[in-house]
Amino acid sequence: MERWLPDDLWLADIADAPAEFDARRSAVRRWYRYAIWRDGVPPSTWQGRCLVTHAALDLAAMRRATQALLGRGDFAALATRPRAATGSTIRTVYAADWLQMGSSLILFEICADAYLKQMVRTIVGSLLWVGTGRWTPEQFEDALHTSDRRAAGPNAPAAGLSLWRIDY
């Protein structure tokens, strides 16, 4: 089975599913990770799969700001499409945190019931503003509660983002 998959996709498990199963609509939680390499050039296994930055990042401030994401709320400020095109912008974030993986690699991990278009990349871009001191954690929370995309930070590049797990 794996011979038909691209090199950057791994098969962890396979099972028969009921006829009514829908991979998108049957999911109850989706986990994403965003990788950031902070020092020098990443090893070949991470090249093209992470954001490389040499900026000093205040990880403690980024973690404090991340707490504003938890729970059920309106995430319209993080959507790249207008509300009318996406329907509801209410989502539940079950978990979100920054993981220090050695001296150079940090991962942002988030679990939610569903996501808006480019929501995770907008979260990461906004939290990087917190990490570099452009925003305080409170300014991130204020932007989140405006429901206005123009109030949030920029989208982080796609290269660091990966769908990590889906719970059914």
Side-chain angles (χ1 to χ4, degrees), residues 6-58:
D7 291 338
D8 61 349
L9 190 64
W10 301 285
L11 183 62
D13 192 15
I14 188 168
D16 288 328
E20 66 275 3
F21 176 79
D22 181 297
R24 200 174 119 238
R25 291 179 182 83
S26 297
V28 292
R29 285 180 300 277
R30 296 140 179 99
W31 295 78
Y32 279 91
R33 281 185 174 168
Y34 193 93
I36 300 174
W37 192 267
R38 299 196 305 173
D39 294 318
V41 177
S44 60
T45 54
W46 283 103
Q47 288 185 6
R49 294 189 173 114
C50 63
L51 169 66
V52 177
T53 183
H54 300 289
L57 297 175
D58 182 346

Side-chain angles (χ1 to χ4, degrees), residues 75-87:
F75 289 90
L78 305 174
T80 56
R81 283 194 207 156
R83 183 182 304 251
T86 60

Side-chain angles (χ1 to χ4, degrees), residues 94-143:
Y94 299 108
D97 200 5
W98 289 92
L99 310 172
Q100 181 73 51
M101 311 297 289
S103 62
S104 298
L105 180 65
I106 58 172
L107 299 175
F108 175 69
E109 189 171 279
I110 186 167
C111 173
D113 58 352
Y115 296 89
L116 302 169
K117 184 168 177 62
Q118 298 184 353
M119 179 175 157
V120 177
R121 291 175 54 204
T122 306
I123 290 170
V124 171
S126 299
L127 290 172
L128 285 171
W129 275 9
V130 173
T132 59
R134 181 170 180 168
W135 273 359
T136 64
E138 295 76 24
Q139 287 173 303
F140 172 77
E141 186 171 1
D142 290 346

